[in-house]
Amino acid sequence: MGIVEHMASSWVGRELVFVGYGHSNGFSQSGGGVKRVVTMPISQVGATQFSYAVSGKNTCNGDSGGPAFAQSGSTYLLAGVTSYGDQNCVQYGVDTRVDVYADFVGAAPAAPPDPCQGESYEGRCDGNTVIWCEQEKVHSYQCQKCGWDAAKGFYNCI
């Protein structure tokens, strides 16, 4: 599993997926031992931690040490580890950022996502359609005939 590369203040508002087996009721400290998943946006990013505060959603006692994942395309990357929150689990929660401690835990940040999902600048033919990546976007063009253009060094309409 990969971890996020670098969390910054631009992450405020980004939704993360939190997983844990903690209590479902912070007032009565009951309902623990059941795996639950909740999606919440980050409300603040600090130097070593980030927080979240969504009415009606939260992590709770027993969730500590559980993961918070950031989705990157079809991949989930570890962004945080649940640390603490308010006593009754209704106001806020705080996670420790894993990107800050990547060296300590021996993890390497994940490679940045491939915006072209494997398509290259040289391109390829799909029937009579040329498909290629340019400026981090996949492009396609319907041709009479698609093939390798040796003079230009990429697939093209020929």
Side-chain angles (χ1 to χ4, degrees):
M1 167 177 308
I3 65 171
V4 297
E5 187 170 343
H6 177 70
M7 187 178 285
S9 61
S10 62
W11 280 57
V12 171
R14 183 170 178 175
E15 300 241 324
L16 298 182
V17 178
F18 298 80
V19 180
Y21 287 86
H23 295 302
S24 59
N25 186 320
F27 291 103
S28 66
Q29 296 297 299
S30 62
V34 176
K35 181 179 172 183
R36 293 184 180 82
V37 178
V38 64
T39 302
M40 297 182 286
I42 295 174
S43 58
Q44 185 176 17
V45 176
T48 61
Q49 297 177 321
F50 62 87
S51 61
Y52 36 93
V54 178
S55 180
K57 294 182 179 182
N58 208 341
T59 54
C60 199
N61 303 334
D63 288 327
S64 295
F69 297 106
Q71 188 170 2
S72 177
S74 62
T75 303
Y76 286 88
L77 302 173
L78 185 61
V81 176
T82 301
S83 297
Y84 65 92
D86 66 283
Q87 181 177 0
N88 294 317
C89 313
V90 294
Q91 296 175 347
Y92 68 91
V94 177
D95 273 36
T96 299
R97 292 173 45 185
V98 295
D99 62 314
V100 176
Y101 298 101
D103 288 341
F104 176 75
V105 296
D114 177 5
C116 290
Q117 290 132 20
E119 299 293 348
S120 67
Y121 178 77
E122 289 79 19
R124 64 183 175 88
C125 290
D126 183 4
N128 285 326
T129 302
V130 62
I131 301 169
W132 75 99
C133 176
E134 188 173 0
Q135 296 180 342
E136 297 187 349
K137 291 185 182 175
V138 176
H139 302 273
S140 65
Y141 186 80
Q142 183 70 36
C143 304
Q144 295 253 345
K145 184 176 180 185
C146 179
W148 179 254
D149 187 332
K152 293 183 178 176
F154 53 79
Y155 285 89
N156 202 357
C157 295
I158 53 174

